[in-house]
């Protein structure tokens, strides 16, 4: 199975202040645990999950303990908050990191990016036909 997610913002303390309705947690530890639990309820170890940017925030030393608990083959489409130090960790842990991606799946073309930069010309270039296009961004 293939899954898509975006803007997990693991370890992002300030998101609790900026997004109190969608992140109604007392601590980042509580938020991280809920995201990990929800992720692993849906994503099985053999699944592929694309993260469309902004995977982790905070200090790089908090990344690996969470990554080690997440199911699936993770492919990161880099976002504006995905720092070089964290990208090095992702790559070392076997996560593929890209600026964007595209592929055909079950009769549709999927175009993935963190940023909403849809372009008819780009879609035509990728699809070369009139196939249905699903453009996903973070």
């Amino acid at each position: 199975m293939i899954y898509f997610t975006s803007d997990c913002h693991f370890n992002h303390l300030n998101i609790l202040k900026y997004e109190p309705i969608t992140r109604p947690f007392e601590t980042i530890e509580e938020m991280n645990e809920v995201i990990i639990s929800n992720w692993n309820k849906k994503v099985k170890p053999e699944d592929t999950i694309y993260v469309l940017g902004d995977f982790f925030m905070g200090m790089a030393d908090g990344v690996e303990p969470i990554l080690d608990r997440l199911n699936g083959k993770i492919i990161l489409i880099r976002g504006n908050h995905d720092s070089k130090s964290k990208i090095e960790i992702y790559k070392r842990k076997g996560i593929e990191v890209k600026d964007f991606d595209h592929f055909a799946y079950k009769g549709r073309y999927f175009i993935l990016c963190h940023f909403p930069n849809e372009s008819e010309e780009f879609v035509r270039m990728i699809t070369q036909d009139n196939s249905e296009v699903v453009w996903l961004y973070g």
Side-chain angles (χ1 to χ4, degrees), residues 1 3 6 13 15 21 26 28 30 38 46 55 60 65-66 69 87 93-94 104 109 114 119 124 127:
M1 185 70 74
Y3 293 99
S6 176
L13 180 60
I15 203 166
I21 293 173
E26 294 294 320
I28 57 172
E30 178 189 4
N38 289 342
E46 64 275 9
F55 201 8
I66 293 173
R69 296 177 57 200
I87 287 172
K93 298 295 284 182
Y109 282 97
H114 180 67
S119 153
R124 278 194 309 276
T127 62

Side-chain angles (χ1 to χ4, degrees), residues 17-35:
K17 176 173 53 177
Y18 302 143
E19 301 290 339
I21 293 173
T22 59
R23 307 274 180 144
F25 306 105
E26 294 294 320
T27 66
I28 57 172
E29 293 80 13
E30 178 189 4
M31 178 187 74
N32 289 345
E33 288 302 317
V34 168
I35 296 171

Side-chain angles (χ1 to χ4, degrees), residues 14 25 51 56 69 85 93 100-101 125:
N14 285 333
F25 306 105
V51 177
F56 280 80
R69 296 177 57 200
S85 61
K93 298 295 284 182
F100 72 93
D101 201 2
M125 179 183 78

